[in-house]
Amino acid sequence: MSSRVVLAYSGGLDTSVAIGWITEATGAEVIAMAADVGQGGEDLEAVRQRALDCGAVASEVVDLRTEFAEQYCLPALRANALYLDRYPLVSALSRPLISAHLVDAARRHGADTVAHGCTGKGNDQVRFEVSIAALAPDLHVYAPVRDSGMTRDKAIAFAEEKGLPIDVTHSSPFSVDQNLWGRAVETGFLEDIWNAPTEEVYAYTSDPGAPRPPDEVVIGFERGVPVAIDGAAVTVLQAIEALNRRAGAQGVGRIDMVEDRLVGIKSREVYEAPGAIALINAHMELENVTVERELARFKRGVEQRWAELVYDGLWFSPLRSSLQAFIDSAQESVTGEVRMRLHAGQATVTGRRSEQSLYRFDLATYDSGDTYDQSQARGFIEVFGMTTKLAAQRDRRQ
Ligand code: ARG
């Protein structure tokens, strides 16, 4: 019996060619697995059929939308996760999930190898392979683009020679990865980092500069989980979908940045993540109101480390899981509502209310009703500033 390979299949040129390429290079049978992580766009039944037409012995589409929303996007939201303070980890979040299901498919189909279409220059190869190694150390990994010279030119030639049912000439000039949490666009004219992105680059967001009336939304959270939009109960998946639509329509969540890849390369990335950015803004503000200061300060450092680990492909690492336990426990009081104005590319908080609020009007007010004893501030400052004052006095003497 020939060996079997489960391929992470997108329906695009590279992974479609990879099916026949892998069989020619290794003699293995290929099983295609496409994941629905909320990327929208093409009908996934057509994608499933295309894999068979390209020579896969079996092809399946797994609907991972709810699992992605609840087990991956939600932890990222609770961590306010932004790599380099800006990128909400769109691709980095989907890879460990897809890897887990590739492993599952490999088990079900008796495959000993998992294949993916990543190049050798990016982060995604690392994320797939470290995740697979953590979950199934016995499985082999094969990456035809990286490991057996399946360049773009060769892929196009292969597709034409075999008459594969893929539209080679209309394939996008960009490399795009998109899911429920956002969309990443790279390559093409964006590789000149002075070139501004044009409107064609974007698909999840409308032009933030176009004139339109603002949209106001109230997001309800319970223990750091978004549970209501404008008072109506929603699942996490529905919350993200609703905000992708509404914040996207206002041009919220466009990000144009040069980022540090794990492999040491700086690369230009254009992202759009309207739902993620709106939700993170709202969640951060509810934390400002409900999380005690020392816990909040410490959490900020944890958030950054969490984002770096996930970016670096270490989702299934012991440190990520321990930091996760901390983050989850810090969500205990994060219950309440945030009102936001979505407009002109911004998701701006305009109101917050919570039964868990630590905001005390009677302490904060400058008007009547003040219960704060200002006379105590003098002594506090005297003691608090002592160490700095002593050091400054010494330095002036010297
Ligand atoms: N640079 C981003 C990351 O590493 C996005 C990668 C997306 N992949 C793609 N084929 N465009 O998370």
Side-chain angles (χ1 to χ4, degrees):
M1 198 184 99
S2 59
S3 71
R4 307 187 114 194
V5 174
V6 171
L7 169 69
Y9 185 64
S10 72
L13 170 70
D14 290 334
T15 55
S16 294
V17 167
I19 296 170
W21 189 283
I22 291 169
T23 302
E24 283 197 0
T26 68
E29 294 177 338
V30 175
I31 292 125
M33 190 202 89
D36 185 354
V37 284
Q39 63 269 42
E42 203 182 359
D43 171 30
L44 287 171
E45 175 47 33
V47 169
R48 196 190 68 79
Q49 185 57 46
R50 186 173 315 133
L52 296 173
D53 297 341
C54 290
V57 297
S59 179
E60 52 186 59
V61 173
V62 286
D63 181 357
L64 306 182
R65 286 173 300 168
T66 295
E67 189 180 356
F68 185 52
E70 291 179 1
Q71 307 299 323
Y72 293 81
C73 301
L74 178 60
L77 172 59
R78 291 175 125 196
N80 302 315
L82 297 170
Y83 178 67
L84 300 180
D85 296 328
R86 299 186 70 194
Y87 167 45
L89 298 173
V90 174
S91 305
L93 287 172
S94 74
R95 302 316 183 199
L97 170 65
I98 295 169
S99 297
H101 286 270
L102 288 168
V103 167
D104 177 65
R107 298 304 188 217
R108 284 186 286 105
H109 291 276
D112 63 5
T113 301
V114 171
H116 61 71
C118 302
T119 71
K121 297 179 74 166
N123 299 311
D124 287 330
Q125 53 170 345
V126 182
R127 297 167 182 154
F128 275 124
E129 294 180 31
V130 173
S131 297
I132 290 160
L135 298 171
D138 58 301
L139 289 180
H140 302 290
V141 176
Y142 186 57
V145 176
R146 180 192 65 194
D147 302 338
S148 68
M150 199 190 97
T151 59
R152 193 117 191 132
D153 296 349
K154 286 190 189 162
I156 291 171
F158 188 99
E160 279 167 353
E161 179 196 323
K162 310 276 170 186
L164 297 182
I166 10 178
D167 187 352
V168 176
T169 47
H170 289 96
S171 77
S172 160
F174 306 113
S175 167
V176 178
D177 184 49
Q178 63 189 53
N179 62 45
L180 180 69
W181 204 234
R183 186 163 173 273
V185 187
E186 53 187 320
T187 74
F189 74 87
L190 297 171
E191 284 179 352
D192 179 338
I193 63 178
W194 183 249
N195 282 341
T198 52
E199 277 306 307
E200 303 83 69
V201 169
Y202 298 104
Y204 283 16
T205 53
S206 305
D207 182 352
R212 68 173 77 78
D215 185 9
E216 190 179 89
V217 63
V218 175
I219 306 173
F221 289 88
E222 226 165 79
R223 293 192 163 89
V225 183
V227 293
I229 303 268
D230 293 332
V234 287
T235 63
V236 178
L237 175 62
Q238 289 167 337
I240 302 168
E241 285 174 341
L243 285 160
N244 273 339
R245 241 183 344 265
R246 289 173 63 175
Q250 299 285 339
V252 171
R254 290 187 175 185
I255 301 150
D256 177 352
M257 67 190 284
V258 169
E259 79 188 28
D260 282 308
R261 285 189 188 164
L262 178 57
V263 296
I265 298 171
K266 282 190 188 291
S267 70
R268 202 281 184 85
E269 308 280 344
V270 174
Y271 300 110
E272 40 184 352
I277 295 300
L279 280 163
I280 290 172
N281 283 357
H283 178 259
M284 275 182 173
E285 181 62 6
L286 188 58
E287 286 193 334
N288 287 344
V289 175
T290 59
V291 178
E292 182 277 328
R293 183 185 66 182
E294 295 306 319
L295 179 56
R297 283 185 170 176
F298 192 82
K299 183 170 181 280
R300 263 169 234 133
V302 172
E303 290 170 349
Q304 193 183 333
R305 197 70 192 91
W306 190 98
E308 288 165 355
L309 288 168
V310 173
Y311 185 87
D312 289 350
L314 301 178
W315 180 271
F316 294 108
S317 67
L319 181 54
R320 207 278 303 173
S321 99
S322 291
L323 295 185
Q324 195 68 60
F326 168 80
I327 289 166
D328 291 343
S329 112
Q331 297 303 292
E332 212 41 51
S333 66
V334 187
T335 297
E337 288 181 309
V338 174
R339 189 181 58 233
M340 297 185 109
R341 186 172 186 265
L342 310 171
H343 190 56
Q346 302 296 319
T348 312
V349 174
T350 60
R352 55 300 261 165
R353 63 181 169 199
S354 168
E355 303 261 297
Q356 302 288 328
S357 176
L358 294 171
Y359 175 83
R360 285 261 305 270
F361 177 84
D362 63 318
L363 292 176
T365 185
Y366 288 97
D367 294 335
S368 59
D370 187 2
T371 63
Y372 180 82
D373 179 359
Q374 295 198 36
S375 69
Q376 293 183 343
R378 282 186 81 94
F380 167 74
I381 296 164
E382 191 68 37
V383 177
F384 173 75
M386 178 107 63
T387 151
T388 301
K389 187 165 111 188
L390 291 175
Q393 282 170 344
R394 181 208 49 202
D395 294 347
R396 224 171 299 116
R397 275 198 307 273
Q398 282 162 7

